[in-house]
Amino acid sequence: MTQGIAAAARTAAPPGVEIVASAPEFGPASIEGYYDGAFAVPGMLARILEAERAGVDAHVIACFDDTGLDAARSAARAPVVGIGEAAYHAASMIGIRFSVITTMARSIAVIQDNLTRYGFAQRCARVRAAEVPVLSLETHREAAQERIGREIEQALADDRVDCIVLGCAGMADLAERFSKRFQVPVIEGIGAGVVFAAALATLGLKTSKAGGYAVPVPKTYSGIFSRFAPPD
């Protein structure tokens, strides 16, 4: 899936933008709900910190739940873009209302919370779940695509929307074919995230350290988290 995400990112990247795609060294195999998300954050932050030391210009978190986004912005000076937030912005620029098609029903609450926080709740008609486990997007590709397609069809029939947002990074390569099939814009967050991240970097914008994303206060972290302790 990381390779597929990298391919989608490189397809969307503006000329001259280099994509470095990596997966956390440790954590859950997929993120489906709050519990998985909590254990995914440390491994993701480790990659963010590595990339910061390497001098990257921007980061994109390739999980539609925008898992660990605030923590990543606190850790990084380069801009950090979540693919969920990026997709909502893109959808709001090309349509009045959109529906989100995600994987499992347990992810709906996470996405709805983010929509409210970002200010997009009124623009989103509904968050729908195709009941497709994240990993089945790789292991049972055709069946997963069929379920997602049926959910898009239902959304267009019932939700009165102008466009569709695909709510999982593993769906990135499906956007173009579903857009052609249903004749409406279908947005995936990888491409949107890469383009927005590149734009922020081109503008020379960094993550603000004046408020909530201030540099973490130096202190001791115990046990297995000692490696994440903010330095002096």
Side-chain angles (χ1 to χ4, degrees):
M1 188 168 290
T2 300
Q3 293 176 354
I5 288 168
R10 292 185 178 111
T11 297
V17 173
E18 178 186 358
I19 301 296
V20 179
S22 64
E25 181 184 0
F26 54 91
S30 62
I31 300 174
E32 293 165 317
Y34 292 109
Y35 189 82
D36 290 339
F39 286 98
V41 173
M44 183 271 291
L45 287 178
R47 293 301 193 205
I48 293 283
L49 293 169
E50 289 170 5
E52 279 285 294
R53 290 191 291 270
V56 302
D57 298 302
H59 310 273
V60 177
I61 297 177
C63 174
F64 195 81
D65 292 354
D66 292 345
T67 302
L69 179 58
D70 288 325
R73 286 175 173 164
S74 298
R77 292 191 178 275
V80 184
V81 176
I83 66 170
E85 186 175 17
Y88 305 143
H89 277 287
S92 71
M93 294 175 187
I94 58 174
I96 303 298
R97 285 167 66 78
F98 59 87
S99 283
V100 177
I101 312 299
T102 191
T103 49
M104 305 291 288
R106 69 182 61 220
S107 296
I108 291 176
V110 180
I111 293 171
Q112 288 177 330
D113 285 347
N114 286 345
L115 285 162
T116 299
R117 180 186 169 199
Y118 299 153
F120 288 110
Q122 291 185 329
R123 303 292 292 273
C124 180
R126 185 172 176 180
V127 181
R128 294 172 167 269
E131 294 303 338
V132 173
V134 170
L135 297 181
S136 73
L137 291 167
E138 295 294 318
T139 59
H140 298 82
R141 194 71 173 159
E142 291 185 9
Q145 289 179 29
E146 182 59 32
R147 289 188 182 184
I148 295 164
R150 287 201 300 267
E151 205 61 43
I152 293 174
E153 188 173 24
Q154 201 67 42
L156 294 173
D158 297 344
D159 299 348
R160 299 180 181 273
V161 293
D162 310 291
C163 49
I164 297 293
V165 172
L166 298 178
C168 180
M171 298 179 185
D173 65 336
L174 302 179
E176 184 176 0
R177 74 181 65 180
F178 281 139
S179 184
K180 291 178 179 178
R181 173 178 168 183
F182 294 107
Q183 294 298 296
V184 297
V186 177
I187 298 102
E188 55 84 18
I190 298 295
V194 166
V195 170
F196 285 141
L200 293 171
T202 299
L203 292 170
L205 296 174
K206 304 290 186 181
T207 301
S208 173
K209 297 302 174 183
Y213 296 141
V215 175
V217 177
K219 66 184 67 174
T220 300
Y221 282 23
S222 60
I224 62 173
F225 292 117
S226 59
R227 63 183 285 195
F228 295 98
D232 293 330

